[in-house]
Amino acid sequence: LGSLSGSRSFFIAIGLFGFFYLYHRAKKLFFAVLLASILSVIILDSVRILAPEVLQAHPQLPLGMVRTLDSLSFINFYEAFYSRLVFSRIAIEMFLDNPVFGVGLGNFRQALLPYAIRFAPEMGVWSDNANNFYLGILAETGIFGAFALLLTLFSFRFVNSNRSKLLT
């Protein structure tokens, strides 16, 4: 499901898990794989810049993998990082303008345009979510939504797995 979701986080997490596993199991192999990964990103980025038609001929990859490879591109890395900063700032401004109830659950994109014009006119009409769960909750639901989330999180109970205490 993770590979079909389009989630870059899924592929990055799988890659990091693999790197940590290798580091603890075989340190020499870890450094070889790390070096090979860095070289692969550099080569892929060079091919993407110098001969983009080569990459268009690749077999269809899962959307999340394509998005991850695009994110690793040195050209796209700055853009992805910058857009996350912009959307985080917009979410903060939305919250500050609507601190009690927010802009409404699921209304981030509908409320985005005036903020985007004010804080990042170079983004045009591109819309995205807050790219941060907690800022998104604050922007869309305000203090009440954040409070409801905290109540929900603190209402979870963890069951003690030591059943012998329960029997006595």
Side-chain angles (χ1 to χ4, degrees), residues 64-123:
M65 189 176 289
V66 172
R67 291 181 72 212
T68 304
L69 291 173
D70 283 343
S71 296
L72 294 175
S73 167
F74 295 115
I75 291 173
N76 295 334
F77 181 79
Y78 173 76
E79 182 180 312
F81 181 73
Y82 175 72
S83 70
R84 277 172 170 51
L85 288 176
V86 166
F87 287 113
S88 293
R89 178 165 184 211
I90 289 172
I92 291 169
E93 293 296 329
M94 276 185 195
F95 167 70
L96 293 175
D97 287 349
N98 306 283
V100 180
F101 295 111
V103 295
L105 191 60
N107 289 337
F108 186 86
R109 288 185 180 186
Q110 288 81 8
L112 178 69
L113 191 57
Y115 291 94
I117 290 169
R118 189 168 25 156
F119 296 110
E122 70 279 1
M123 302 288 284

Side-chain angles (χ1 to χ4, degrees), residues 1-156:
L1 288 176
S3 68
L4 298 175
S5 71
S7 171
R8 289 177 281 208
S9 300
F10 171 78
F11 286 101
I12 291 170
I14 294 294
L16 287 174
F17 178 77
F19 279 123
F20 286 127
Y21 178 80
L22 273 177
Y23 182 76
H24 288 291
R25 288 292 193 183
K27 286 189 173 102
K28 288 181 183 178
L29 183 59
F30 165 78
F31 289 110
V33 169
L34 182 63
L35 180 61
S37 298
I38 292 170
L39 289 175
S40 297
V41 168
I42 291 170
I43 291 169
L44 182 67
D45 212 30
S46 300
V47 169
R48 185 184 320 251
I49 294 167
L50 301 175
E53 65 279 355
V54 172
L55 293 179
Q56 293 171 354
H58 67 51
Q60 193 62 24
L61 296 172
L63 178 61
M65 189 176 289
V66 172
R67 291 181 72 212
T68 304
L69 291 173
D70 283 343
S71 296
L72 294 175
S73 167
F74 295 115
I75 291 173
N76 295 334
F77 181 79
Y78 173 76
E79 182 180 312
F81 181 73
Y82 175 72
S83 70
R84 277 172 170 51
L85 288 176
V86 166
F87 287 113
S88 293
R89 178 165 184 211
I90 289 172
I92 291 169
E93 293 296 329
M94 276 185 195
F95 167 70
L96 293 175
D97 287 349
N98 306 283
V100 180
F101 295 111
V103 295
L105 191 60
N107 289 337
F108 186 86
R109 288 185 180 186
Q110 288 81 8
L112 178 69
L113 191 57
Y115 291 94
I117 290 169
R118 189 168 25 156
F119 296 110
E122 70 279 1
M123 302 288 284
V125 294
W126 178 41
S127 67
D128 201 354
N129 57 37
N131 286 304
N132 179 311
F133 176 76
Y134 302 103
L135 285 178
I137 291 290
L138 279 173
E140 290 185 356
T141 62
I143 294 288
F144 280 116
F147 185 67
L149 175 65
L150 287 174
L151 280 177
T152 302
L153 292 176
F154 285 118
S155 71
F156 289 122

